[in-house]
Each structure stands twice: as structure tokens, then as C-alpha cells.
Amino acid sequence: WLALLFLALAATALSFVVQSWAQSHLPPTTAAVVLTLEPVFAGVAGFLVGEDITGRMIIGGSLVLVAMYVVELGPRHAREAELAHLEP
């Protein structure tokens, strides 16, 4: 029962409070990037506590990171370049 109580309070309720607070202080795009990287953080945390990491997990985490960089850095900078080019 103690483990269940800890998981209910610390791992669930406290996590949602911290997550909601952080989302209210971050831009929407940054919050989306952080939430999308949750599986990568979970994999790193698992590795730190001794879980075996497979090549498939590393490839998957790498793909998540690359996708987020492409989405976050690619289109926005291209659009800013187009707008700068159009301004006199």
C-alpha cells in the first residue's frame, strides 16, 4: 500500500502539477518539444538505473531527437528568411 500511495501521489499527482506549471511558463512550441522528448528521457533514466538499452531503442530515441530538431529549426528559420527577404 505504501508503494501504491507513493506512486499515486509523487509519480502521478505531483508530476501533473509540475507539468502544468511548466507548460504555463513556456512557449507552446517549447512545451511540445519537451513533451515529445519524454520517451527519450525515460530511456536515459532507465539506462541510469541499470536497464539494458538495445540498438533499436537508441535508433528510436535518435529519430525522435532528429525529428524534433527538423520540426523546430527547419521551417521556422526558412519562413523567417523568406520574410526578411521580402522586407525592404
Side-chain angles (χ1 to χ4, degrees), residues 26-85:
L26 292 173
T29 306
T30 305
V33 169
V34 171
L35 291 175
T36 304
L37 292 174
E38 183 181 358
V40 177
F41 292 137
V44 171
F47 175 74
L48 292 176
V49 297
E51 184 177 323
D52 292 332
I53 302 295
T54 65
R56 192 176 198 181
M57 294 168 77
I58 292 171
I59 291 170
S62 299
L63 288 173
V64 170
L65 289 173
V66 168
M68 289 316 305
Y69 277 116
V70 167
V71 168
E72 183 62 25
L73 299 177
R76 180 183 310 146
H77 290 291
R79 181 173 292 149
E80 289 173 359
E82 287 176 14
L83 292 176
H85 177 70

